[in-house]
């Protein structure tokens, strides 16, 4: 089948590589810790759509180039949206496409959590089927720290992974967890020493590739049914609340505080 596999697409901010029946998708903005700017936000749904239909692969690995998985939204990009909120409305639609496509991919999706995963970066990581993290990596959804609603999928996936009680604690505070702590509470599957990350991910992927792929894919479809139901119920409201919060004074204050490296003074609307 590899001889008839479709050619890999090229993007500005994403790299694809195929190793046998394994497809790797790598966020490729290492100098910016793979922060999500407009290009990456717009290219990711297209890249995931390709991966979904790729006849040349049975397992997908998502990771980041350099020392981070994805540091979340690029600050300059966030500030530009805050100054012209209609731009955010486009990205809200893209966020819905990202989540829906991730959930529709029937092949196993493995997150190689090589470094920090923040905000939408954390959501993408947690929407993968299996998350294997490196010691030293941190993960969290600090939307509220910028005066924003965790509406791009965080409100969907955190409670599904660790229960409503813990999910509310971390989404309300925006606290980051170490990969070790995340593994202990079941937010991610495993935390391994950084030097063992590649071998661990590769061994797990190979085990799946050696398995009954038809049965594995069907099992994924079944286990994702409830998750897709929750996403369908929550994402539209999340996008709407997000579009409101991006227009708030609290959001502008959150951006200013981050730029000025000070604590935000919220309560302004």
């Amino acid at each position: 089948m590899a001889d008839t596999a479709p050619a890999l697409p090229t993007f500005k901010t994403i790299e694809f590589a195929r190793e046998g029946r394994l497809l790797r998708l790598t966020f490729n903005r290492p100098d910016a810790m793979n922060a999500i700017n407009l290009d990456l936000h717009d290219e990711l749904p297209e890249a995931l759509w390709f991966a979904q239909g790729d006849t040349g692969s049975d397992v997908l690995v998502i990771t980041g180039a350099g020392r981070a998985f994805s540091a979340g939204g690029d600050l300059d990009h966030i500030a530009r949206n805050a100054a012209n909120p209609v731009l955010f409305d486009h990205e809200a639609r893209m966020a819905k496409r990202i989540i829906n496509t991730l959930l529709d991919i029937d092949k196993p999706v493995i997150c190689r959590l090589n470094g920090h995963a923040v905000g939408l970066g954390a959501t993408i990581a947690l929407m993968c089927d299996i998350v294997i993290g490196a010691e030293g990596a941190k993960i969290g959804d600090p939307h509220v720290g910028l005066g924003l609603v965790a509406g791009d999928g965080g409100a969907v996936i955190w409670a599904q992974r660790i229960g409503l009680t813990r999910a509310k604690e971390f989404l309300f505070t925006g606290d980051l967890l170490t990969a070790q702590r995340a593994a202990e509470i079941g937010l991610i599957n495993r935390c391994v020493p950084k030097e063992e990350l590649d071998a661990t991910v590769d061994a797990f992927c190979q085990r799946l590739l050696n398995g009954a792929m038809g049965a594995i894919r069907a099992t994924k479809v079944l286990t994702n049914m409830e998750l897709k139901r929750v996403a369908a119920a929550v994402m539209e409201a999340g996008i709407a609340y997000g579009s409101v919060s991006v227009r708030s004074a609290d959001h502008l204050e959150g951006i200013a505080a981050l730029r000025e490296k000070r604590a935000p003074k919220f309560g302004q609307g």
Side-chain angles (χ1 to χ4, degrees):
M1 291 183 67
D3 292 340
T4 60
L8 297 177
T10 57
F11 297 98
K12 292 181 182 177
T13 63
I14 293 169
E15 283 193 353
F16 272 121
R18 191 183 279 121
E19 302 164 17
R21 301 291 298 172
L22 177 68
L23 180 66
R24 293 187 188 271
L25 184 161
T26 303
F27 303 139
N28 192 30
R29 299 190 69 221
D31 293 341
M33 293 185 70
N34 301 313
I36 299 170
N37 63 356
L38 182 60
D39 285 335
L40 180 50
H41 211 291
D42 279 356
E43 289 182 341
L44 185 53
E46 300 304 320
L48 291 172
W49 184 258
F50 171 83
Q52 177 186 28
D54 178 35
T55 57
S57 61
D58 290 312
V59 173
L60 172 65
V61 171
I62 300 180
T63 192
R67 60 195 179 96
F69 180 79
S70 172
D74 180 273
L75 185 57
D76 289 339
H77 180 57
I78 291 171
R80 196 158 44 246
N81 285 350
N84 189 2
V86 70
L87 297 176
F88 177 86
D89 297 340
H90 161 75
E91 293 190 32
R93 292 191 294 273
M94 291 298 101
K96 186 170 70 170
R97 285 186 60 198
I98 290 168
I99 300 307
N100 288 344
T101 308
L102 267 173
L103 294 177
D104 279 341
I105 297 173
D106 65 350
K107 61 190 71 172
V109 181
I110 314 303
C111 172
R112 176 186 174 271
L113 193 73
N114 56 301
H116 292 4
V118 181
L120 180 57
T123 299
I124 293 166
L126 297 177
M127 285 287 178
C128 296
D129 301 307
I130 306 294
V131 185
I132 301 175
E135 288 179 355
K138 292 185 177 180
I139 186 167
D141 193 333
H143 273 82
V144 294
L146 281 177
L148 287 175
V149 173
D152 61 9
V156 174
I157 193 60
W158 281 71
Q160 293 296 304
R161 282 189 170 265
I162 57 173
L164 198 58
T165 303
R166 279 177 165 155
K168 285 182 176 180
E169 175 185 348
F170 294 117
L171 292 177
F172 290 1
T173 64
D175 289 346
L176 302 185
L177 294 83
T178 64
Q180 182 175 353
R181 178 61 177 153
E184 288 171 356
I185 67 174
L187 184 67
I188 70 174
N189 295 81
R190 302 185 202 174
C191 174
V192 300
K194 202 172 193 69
E195 62 273 17
E196 297 177 14
L197 180 63
D198 285 335
T200 303
V201 171
D202 291 349
F204 187 81
C205 290
Q206 193 58 53
R207 181 175 180 182
L208 295 181
L209 290 167
N210 291 339
M213 191 52 63
I216 292 172
R217 286 192 180 208
T219 299
K220 171 172 178 175
V221 170
L222 287 172
T223 53
N224 263 18
M225 281 182 176
E226 177 64 9
L227 188 53
K228 290 172 72 172
R229 186 191 69 80
V230 174
V234 173
M235 281 300 295
E236 291 291 347
I239 288 169
Y241 279 116
S243 293
V244 171
S245 66
V246 81
R247 291 165 165 83
S248 70
D250 272 348
H251 180 43
L252 295 175
E253 167 61 13
I255 294 171
L258 191 59
R259 284 197 185 282
E260 296 164 15
K261 296 180 171 58
R262 60 172 174 82
K265 299 176 182 177
F266 290 135
Q268 304 175 46

